[in-house]
């Protein structure tokens, strides 16, 4: 049974940054759905490269069959991990239903870490991210924020109704955000 923490929040809210620190210090393996999709996009012989790129540039969400298989394959490479940080997933209803179909019985969903940050700050962070991404531009970001508001935030509300959401204000400096995130994990794991 894979132990899973979903990490959600607007683009630029700090999911990747915080997940890297959790992975370093708390023994969870960081799986960024976006990173897995970008790697698949670049993989020689991938049949999904063009499809993935069109969704990334358009700020829309890749069909769950592709993303969920990439996530499960990655988890199977770390069978002894304490748990997995599933970063940027589930991002819409298709992700959620596809995950349930493919992963039920295989995972324990511990909680959802929700990084909350004002959109204007998030957009500026992405524009200054400097990772050469094809979607860190004003046009793509407009669409990504719309996707977040219309499709992803309802997923956070869904988990909220199940009392599974742990919200952390990520507008503050990284160290302050991380301090609160550690408290969330300590409470969840009674460390
Ligand atoms: N708390 C923070 N304060 C200031 N900048 C941040 C903070 N967290 C992340 N960043 C920066 O903002 C950008 C986006 O962070 P990232 O972790 O990639 O966010 P996400 O994965 O949610 O898109 C990166 O350049 C990162 O260094
Ligand atoms: N579950 C997911 C996660 C990401 N994607 C695609 C669409 C997203 O805009 C891009 C980028 O996702 P990523 O999590 O790397 O973006 P941020 O780190 O939030 O800026 O990847 C997806 O289609 N499905
Ligand atoms: Mg990220």
């Amino acid at each position: 049974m894979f132990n899973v923490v979903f990490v959600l929040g607007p683009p630029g809210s700090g999911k990747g940054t915080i997940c890297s620190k959790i992975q370093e210090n708390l023994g969870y393996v960081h799986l960024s759905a976006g990173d897995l999709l970008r790697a698949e996009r670049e993989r020689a012989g991938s049949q999904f490269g063009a499809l993935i790129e069109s969704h990334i540039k358009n700020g829309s969400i890749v069909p769950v069959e592709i993303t969920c298989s990439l996530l499960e394959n990655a988890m199977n490479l770390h069978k002894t991990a304490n748990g997995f940080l599933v970063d940027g997933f589930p991002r819409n209803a298709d992700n959620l239903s596809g995950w349930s179909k493919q992963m039920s019985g295989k995972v324990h969903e511990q909680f959802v870490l929700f990084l909350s940050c004002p959109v204007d700050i998030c957009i500026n962070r992405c524009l200054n991210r400097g990772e050469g991404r094809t979607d860190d531009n004003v046009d793509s970001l407009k669409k990504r924020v719309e996707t977040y508001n219309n499709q992803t935030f309802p997923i956070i509300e869904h988990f909220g109704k199940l009392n599974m959401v742990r919200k952390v204000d990520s507008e503050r400096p990284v160290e302050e955000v991380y301090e609160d995130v550690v408290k969330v994990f300590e409470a969840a794991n009674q460390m």
Side-chain angles (χ1 to χ4, degrees), residues 7-183:
V7 183
L8 293 173
S13 53
K15 299 183 296 293
T17 302
I18 290 298
C19 284
S20 298
K21 294 176 75 72
I22 298 167
Q23 176 171 263
E24 259 168 60
N25 303 302
L26 301 183
Y28 283 73
V29 171
H30 176 204
L31 300 178
S32 162
D35 288 348
L36 290 169
L37 286 166
R38 283 183 286 271
E40 177 62 20
R41 176 187 65 188
E42 308 309 327
R43 187 174 64 81
S46 170
Q47 57 180 319
F48 304 119
L51 176 78
I52 291 171
E53 178 54 14
S54 69
H55 280 288
I56 287 179
K57 279 199 92 161
N58 189 41
S60 51
I61 304 301
V62 172
V64 64
E65 292 75 16
I66 299 171
T67 315
C68 200
S69 297
L70 293 172
L71 284 166
E72 185 171 15
N73 293 343
M75 284 187 238
N76 282 323
L77 295 175
H78 300 275
K79 284 188 185 297
T80 58
N82 290 343
F84 295 92
L85 304 165
V86 178
D87 165 5
F89 185 100
R91 254 190 161 109
N92 66 1
D94 176 57
N95 273 194
L96 187 62
S97 60
W99 168 269
S100 303
K101 208 162 85 185
Q102 182 167 335
M103 303 304 287
S104 66
K106 303 176 190 172
V107 293
H108 166 61
E109 297 166 1
Q110 216 177 340
F111 60 90
V112 176
L113 177 63
F114 167 31
L115 296 183
S116 167
C117 184
V119 165
D120 56 334
I121 291 178
C122 289
I123 288 173
N124 278 325
R125 287 180 183 175
C126 288
L127 292 175
N128 295 303
R129 183 155 34 191
E131 292 175 3
R133 284 174 43 164
T134 57
D135 59 348
D136 277 346
N137 58 73
V138 174
D139 286 347
S140 296
L141 279 162
K142 255 193 214 135
K143 296 172 190 168
R144 289 166 63 194
V145 168
E146 199 181 319
T147 296
Y148 171 77
N149 288 334
N150 298 335
Q151 298 183 46
T152 307
F153 191 68
I155 300 301
I156 295 170
E157 290 180 316
H158 160 80
F159 284 111
K161 290 184 186 121
L162 303 172
N163 195 26
M164 283 179 68
V165 172
R166 304 295 178 268
K167 181 176 176 181
V168 174
D169 168 10
S170 64
E171 183 177 354
R172 300 167 294 164
V174 175
E175 285 317 314
E176 284 182 36
V177 177
Y178 183 62
E179 260 174 47
D180 282 353
V181 168
V182 168
K183 288 177 189 155

